[in-house]
Amino acid sequence: TVGGVEMAWIANFRERAGRLLGQGLDLLCPPRCLFCRVDVADPENAAAVVCDDCAGRLTEGRDRCLACGGPLTAGECPCGGRCHDWDGIVVLAGYDGEIREAVLAAKRPAGDLLAAGLATLLVARHRERLAAWRPDLVTPVPMHWQRRVRRGGSLADGLARRVAAELQLPFRAVLRRTRATVMQNELEPHQRRANVAGVFRAGPRVAGRRVLLVDDVTTTGSTLAACRAALAEAGAAAVYAGVVARADRVVR
């Protein structure tokens, strides 16, 4: 129809105009790295710009165990591939130094862009592995609504949204936290599993689906395991985990 042609022409015009405007802005104000703020020429990902230097510093080079996320020694992990009950985990880096500072900065107000940068690096580091897992959807570890109100948002939520966008998968908040609990980092490692046992519930949309669960930091894996238990109970076919950092030692 004429109206349909006109609408298509308008949409095409807006798209081209937006692209030209963006190119003009890049000439006047080149994209800057989200972390160090240096100009980045022709970034691969204009939505989450990270310079090569920051990407190198924030992305760990060593391999980690796909069962627990721990660093491998001579290609082996002490867990023997049996220490956790999810189907696989990928980690960007150990929770220390610059990655720890970046995670903490991303938790602050207006940290959404930093979250996008960290999520982009996580996917870039493990894109082949994530593709091999063939997840159907991406979901965050949920924060209790009271804590979300106090903080003004959830880092896990922002990370999961960006991971989903990078992988071209649907983002679905399929988990909910049924009650507020003591912060895991305020407890001793042996207390953490009991603290989150039975706290999470999953909706029916996960039945038969392969789920990629996203969080910012894991230490003992208790929270991820509790989420996985809820997803499995709701019928998820497989549950994988993607986290920005793993605390290889408890950080107080």
Side-chain angles (χ1 to χ4, degrees):
T1 65
V2 175
V5 172
E6 290 178 349
M7 292 298 294
W9 182 86
I10 292 172
N12 186 49
F13 175 79
R14 286 177 175 172
E15 180 183 351
R16 292 189 177 186
R19 191 182 307 121
L20 290 172
L21 177 61
Q23 292 172 350
L25 289 174
D26 286 348
L27 290 174
L28 294 173
C29 305
R32 290 185 173 182
C33 174
L34 296 170
F35 297 98
C36 69
R37 307 305 300 165
V38 302
D39 292 347
V40 179
D42 300 323
E44 292 185 7
N45 192 334
V49 180
V50 182
C51 72
D52 291 341
D53 287 343
C54 286
R57 289 197 300 270
L58 296 172
T59 301
E60 190 175 66
R62 62 180 173 177
D63 292 329
R64 286 181 171 267
C65 175
L66 293 175
C68 70
L72 299 179
T73 302
E76 296 183 357
C77 179
C79 82
R82 298 181 300 274
C83 69
H84 282 298
D85 49 1
W86 50 73
D87 296 283
I89 185 171
V90 290
V91 179
L92 179 62
Y95 188 56
D96 203 359
E98 290 189 68
I99 195 72
R100 182 169 184 264
E101 293 176 6
V103 168
L104 293 175
K107 289 184 177 183
R108 299 182 190 124
D112 293 352
L113 289 177
L114 296 181
L118 290 171
T120 298
L121 291 176
L122 175 64
V123 172
R125 174 72 174 86
H126 297 290
R127 187 175 292 277
E128 289 186 6
R129 173 62 57 184
L130 293 167
W133 285 344
R134 296 180 290 109
D136 297 304
L137 60 91
V138 180
T139 197
V141 171
M143 179 182 289
H144 192 267
W145 69 267
Q146 293 175 339
R147 188 166 293 146
R148 181 189 286 268
V149 169
R150 288 197 300 269
R151 289 191 176 183
S154 163
L155 176 53
D157 190 276
L159 292 168
R161 288 181 185 278
R162 187 66 209 171
V163 168
E166 288 284 331
L167 297 175
Q168 297 184 327
L169 291 172
F171 168 90
R172 298 285 186 270
V174 297
L175 283 164
R176 64 184 179 89
R177 190 183 287 254
T178 60
R179 67 178 187 273
T181 57
V182 177
M183 293 285 290
Q184 291 286 75
N185 60 9
E186 296 176 5
L187 299 173
E188 296 298 327
H190 68 275
Q191 299 174 312
R192 298 184 182 191
R193 184 171 288 266
N195 185 50
V196 292
V199 165
F200 302 101
R201 293 288 183 273
R205 289 184 294 175
V206 303
R209 313 295 294 277
R210 303 166 69 87
V211 180
L212 177 60
L213 179 66
V214 175
D215 204 1
D216 52 351
V217 179
T218 185
T219 302
T220 64
S222 298
T223 300
L224 294 175
C227 288
R228 193 268 181 190
L231 291 164
E233 185 177 354
V239 180
Y240 304 97
V243 296
V244 170
R246 181 185 188 273
D248 298 320
R249 57 184 177 83
V250 177
V251 179
R252 292 288 183 182

